[in-house]
Amino acid sequence: MPELSSVRLLWPWPGIQSRCHSPRGPQPRLLSSRVPRAPPTHPAMSSCSRVALVTGANKGIGFAIARELCRQFSGDVVLTARDAARGRAAVQQLQAEGLSPRFHQLDIDDLQSIRALRDFLLKEYGGLNVLVNNAGIAFKTDDPTPFDIQAEVTLKTNFFATRNVCTELLPIIKPHGRVVNISSRVGTNALENCSENLQEKFRCETLTEEDLVDLMKKFVEDTKNEVHEREGWPNSAYGVSKLGVTVLSRILARRLDEKRKADRILLNACCPGWVKTDMAGASGCRTLEEGADTPVYLALLPPDATEPHGQLVHDKVVTHW
């Protein structure tokens, strides 16, 4: 298995207050009106210092999320894609609809690409207000690729690369920021199909990020050694990868509470549902707009909201698992 890159999370990052208005969107009950601490200024900010970013946004659910954020978010929206030509084409499509997204190339499998994006956000905006981690992959059910290869490739992108994005960008999330990790209830199904021993480990409230990484690596190794079923794993690489994203979200939310509680950053995982995309195929039962509904809701939670946080959310409702 190739070495998977990771870096140490740096906590906390100095808070930077936005100069623009609060985001518009679904308005849950406001729980507080406390103003965040005054931030240092940044010498090279855009005319509006508020910014939302969506990964893997040139098509599918990510594109629909970017479109809706362009309509509702008070600030700039950065659409990212691995393929620059496809990303710019997506931006042109939204521009033709009267919207004004920005584009930045991002390959989440490339740590240097993630860091280049981080540097861009710091230079242009002094940080980041909203992060939607949407980029991901899935093999078709009839794909002939050996299962161990599917496991390695799927976890490399869906879990390890998503983790790298969080590692690099969470430290620059501004006070009252919102982080949304696109997961799936397929991950919940994968958990239910794990052995009792593995279920206990994943559900443990004191599970650390390092422990979770070890579990994800063990799944890949067990598939290579053809012992994953005997070791209590399900036969779903995609399911295990999304289980990892959901549990990672819980761990990162807990760390935010420990290190940056006063900043009131909310981080959640969500399931967009079975959407008609290239990934799901024609069997999807939801439109792209319906799939984007919950991610956008979480991205636009008002500044004084205190929940949900560290949860898996489906149809705007917390899913207990």
Side-chain angles (χ1 to χ4, degrees):
M1 174 179 176
E3 183 179 354
L4 297 167
S5 58
S6 63
V7 295
R8 183 173 60 87
L9 277 167
L10 303 177
W11 299 89
W13 190 270
I16 304 174
Q17 185 179 9
S18 169
R19 295 182 296 168
C20 298
H21 296 295
S22 299
R24 299 184 301 274
Q27 298 292 308
R29 179 170 58 93
L30 298 183
L31 301 178
S32 171
S33 59
R34 187 175 60 82
V35 178
R37 63 181 181 272
T41 58
H42 194 279
M45 283 189 181
S46 165
S47 58
C48 179
S49 64
R50 287 182 54 80
V51 59
L53 182 138
V54 186
T55 70
N58 61 288
K59 63 178 182 178
I61 297 171
F63 180 78
I65 293 170
R67 171 192 276 144
E68 199 57 35
L69 287 176
C70 284
R71 292 170 176 167
Q72 296 192 47
F73 178 72
S74 180
D76 288 347
V77 176
V78 177
L79 180 156
T80 71
R82 179 177 55 184
D83 184 289
R86 292 177 181 176
R88 292 193 178 95
V91 165
Q92 291 175 355
Q93 182 177 341
L94 293 178
Q95 288 173 338
E97 298 176 13
L99 304 174
S100 303
R102 299 187 69 178
F103 173 73
H104 198 285
Q105 191 274 341
L106 173 65
D107 179 357
I108 69 169
D109 285 326
D110 181 351
L111 186 56
Q112 294 308 312
S113 178
I114 300 172
R115 288 174 174 170
L117 174 63
R118 176 202 61 194
D119 294 344
F120 162 80
L121 292 168
L122 282 172
K123 179 181 178 182
E124 292 287 317
Y125 301 97
L128 180 60
N129 298 92
V130 172
L131 169 63
V132 181
N133 279 311
N134 167 76
I137 63 170
F139 285 84
K140 302 292 185 182
T141 55
D142 59 352
D143 193 295
T145 304
F147 186 67
D148 64 312
I149 302 301
Q150 291 192 29
E152 181 176 7
V153 172
T154 302
L155 267 73
K156 178 178 184 292
T157 296
N158 292 2
F159 177 76
F160 289 101
T162 297
R163 175 181 177 243
N164 283 343
V165 174
C166 290
T167 297
E168 296 296 332
L169 298 189
L170 282 189
I172 69 169
I173 295 287
K174 299 180 183 181
H176 296 218
R178 304 290 179 251
V179 180
V180 184
N181 293 328
I182 305 300
S183 188
S184 173
R185 290 201 296 184
V186 175
T188 306
N189 294 337
L191 176 65
E192 293 171 351
N193 289 322
C194 285
S195 66
E196 290 185 8
N197 179 54
L198 284 174
Q199 288 187 39
E200 183 178 350
K201 290 180 179 178
F202 281 117
R203 288 191 167 108
C204 178
E205 291 296 328
T206 58
L207 185 74
T208 67
E209 185 176 352
E210 292 72 22
D211 293 336
L212 177 60
V213 167
D214 287 342
L215 283 169
M216 295 290 101
K217 288 180 178 179
K218 186 178 188 305
F219 170 69
V220 174
E221 288 300 319
D222 286 348
T223 63
K224 288 185 178 298
N225 295 325
E226 299 182 346
V227 297
H228 67 282
E229 289 182 280
R230 191 174 72 201
E231 292 294 313
W233 296 102
N235 276 314
S236 174
Y238 182 78
V240 172
S241 75
K242 290 304 186 179
L243 170 60
V245 169
T246 299
V247 177
L248 177 67
S249 300
R250 186 179 66 193
I251 292 170
L252 294 178
R254 186 172 69 227
R255 184 177 297 160
L256 283 168
D257 284 342
E258 293 169 355
K259 303 295 184 181
R260 298 185 61 184
K261 191 172 184 64
D263 288 340
R264 295 180 178 238
I265 297 167
L266 298 181
L267 185 154
N268 292 284
C270 73
C271 174
W274 195 238
V275 181
K276 295 177 182 178
T277 63
D278 290 348
M279 184 180 293
S283 63
C285 60
R286 294 190 174 195
T287 66
L288 293 177
E289 291 71 25
E290 289 170 336
D293 193 34
T294 294
V296 171
Y297 160 74
L298 292 172
L300 298 181
L301 289 170
D304 290 331
T306 59
E307 56 185 24
H309 183 49
Q311 304 291 343
L312 175 63
V313 181
H314 178 64
D315 287 340
K316 301 181 184 179
V317 176
V318 171
T319 299
H320 297 285
W321 55 280

